[in-house]
Amino acid sequence: MESTEQINTLNWEVEERPIFANGLKITGYKGLFRGNSDNLLSIQKSSYTPTPNSRFIEVTEKLHNITGFPIKNYYDIDGGKKTLAFLECTEPIQVCGHEFKDYLMLGNSFDGSTGFFIGNSSMMVRCSNRFSKNFRQLQVMHTKNNSQRIDDLCRTFDMFMNQRKKLFTQMETFEQVKIDDSIKKALVERLTRMTEEEKLGTEISTRKSNIIAQINNSIETECRALGNNSFGLFQGITHYTTHVKQSKNGIFGNPFGSLNDMNQTAYKFCNELVLS
């Protein structure tokens, strides 16, 4: 598993401190700092209640005890602005006849970008394509009573298993939807945010042309292997984000940032094809 910063334990804690401007304390706000380096992680309203790393580790270990899933690793991202933990799901899963390896993913942030959340991070074994999805029903915002709500998530672990099953069942339906070049083109246009002029083949930069060619190549690679259907189309995008666009310092599963945005857009697009 790769990360910008791989660590076995989150051996530091977040610290809340007042912030000042021109020597005066700013009321209604506070700074969140990484305790072992004094690096500023974010400035938040006074009502913001972060979930500390000690609590994050405690919940990860509690879920390990509940599920029996082994803890694979902890990570911090962007200097500690986000944290992740992965537990390997021991129950085997296949989608469209292909083996998948997947993980229970826990996440947290100190920059306000996410609450405490539980999701799934999967890898298609044949090609190592990766896809992560946060489950909205399993997210707790950083408010006063967040610790109690996190405990509630642990007690309703069946909800994770249900959401996991629903995710893979939905992927199964992708195989039933046949696609043609016009569908592939429509997704690429959406992913690259092509303007009307660019769609007509004018005013398109060399850089964007190269990106489009790379995405199309990934789509064709996966559709040749999996068929001209929505499942092949979706795996084409996860192939691109995993093997082509992925940076050297990429995060396992692509759970954040532009790569995650592309994967979520492709997943939503393929869902729309199923429903149409």
Side-chain angles (χ1 to χ4, degrees):
M1 299 172 71
E2 307 88 16
S3 172
T4 51
E5 185 175 350
Q6 185 170 342
I7 52 179
N8 293 323
T9 57
L10 299 175
N11 57 354
W12 57 273
E13 200 51 89
V14 65
E15 295 183 4
E16 304 176 47
R17 304 174 190 169
I19 53 175
F20 298 84
N22 298 322
L24 298 175
K25 180 180 176 180
I26 300 177
T27 59
Y29 290 87
K30 60 187 174 185
L32 302 185
F33 292 82
R34 179 167 176 148
N36 63 349
S37 68
D38 287 336
N39 288 341
L40 177 66
L41 301 176
S42 68
I43 295 173
Q44 302 291 338
K45 290 184 177 180
S46 298
S47 58
Y48 185 89
T49 306
T51 301
N53 285 333
S54 57
R55 179 68 166 137
F56 185 73
I57 293 170
E58 176 192 341
V59 173
T60 302
E61 292 176 347
K62 182 180 292 186
L63 283 172
H64 160 67
N65 292 329
I66 291 171
T67 64
F69 295 169
I71 299 171
K72 299 306 293 184
N73 222 320
Y74 294 95
Y75 297 89
D76 63 17
I77 315 299
D78 294 339
K81 292 181 179 180
K82 302 177 181 67
T83 59
L84 289 169
F86 291 91
L87 290 78
E88 185 173 359
C89 298
T90 52
E91 180 182 316
I93 192 82
Q94 282 200 348
V95 180
C96 301
H98 297 278
E99 183 183 357
F100 274 66
K101 194 174 192 179
D102 72 309
Y103 301 84
L104 187 160
M105 176 177 66
L106 293 93
N108 186 38
S109 80
F110 298 116
D111 62 0
S113 59
T114 71
F116 177 96
F117 67 84
I118 297 175
N120 181 270
S121 184
S122 63
M123 180 180 72
M124 192 176 188
V125 173
R126 61 166 280 275
C127 54
S128 300
N129 293 347
R130 295 164 184 167
F131 176 68
S132 296
K133 188 168 183 63
N134 302 346
F135 298 138
R136 291 183 180 179
Q137 299 89 336
L138 299 175
Q139 181 166 223
V140 175
M141 302 312 293
H142 290 125
T143 55
K144 183 177 180 181
N145 297 319
N146 65 5
S147 188
Q148 179 60 51
R149 294 191 181 113
I150 290 170
D151 280 336
D152 292 341
L153 287 187
C154 294
R155 284 193 289 268
T156 58
F157 173 72
D158 285 348
M159 188 181 294
F160 166 79
M161 298 302 287
N162 291 335
Q163 290 298 317
R164 173 182 183 252
K165 182 179 180 180
K166 182 179 178 181
L167 171 65
F168 288 118
T169 299
Q170 187 64 33
M171 285 191 194
E172 286 272 2
T173 67
F174 292 174
E175 190 179 41
Q176 303 166 15
V177 180
K178 303 302 179 184
I179 62 170
D180 56 22
D181 288 345
S182 66
I183 298 296
K184 298 174 186 177
K185 183 172 181 285
L187 176 56
V188 173
E189 288 175 349
R190 184 180 296 189
L191 290 171
T192 58
R193 301 179 182 178
M194 292 179 68
T195 64
E196 292 302 318
E197 291 78 10
E198 289 172 335
K199 292 177 184 179
L200 294 172
T202 60
E203 299 185 10
I204 187 165
S205 67
T206 301
R207 178 179 177 276
K208 181 169 278 192
S209 294
N210 290 337
I211 292 172
I212 291 169
Q214 290 173 334
I215 296 174
N216 282 329
N217 183 63
S218 286
I219 290 173
E220 293 308 317
T221 296
E222 293 301 280
C223 283
R224 281 194 298 269
L226 303 170
N228 276 309
N229 52 55
S230 290
F231 185 64
L233 179 64
F234 175 65
Q235 290 300 324
I237 303 309
T238 60
H239 177 279
Y240 172 76
T241 57
T242 301
H243 302 292
V244 180
K245 185 63 175 177
Q246 179 70 281
S247 67
K248 292 181 180 179
N249 293 323
I251 307 164
F252 179 82
N254 298 327
F256 302 119
S258 61
L259 300 183
N260 180 61
D261 291 342
M262 291 189 75
N263 283 344
Q264 301 306 323
T265 297
Y267 182 79
K268 181 179 178 181
F269 182 91
C270 291
N271 268 333
E272 291 170 355
L273 294 178
V274 172
L275 298 173
S276 63

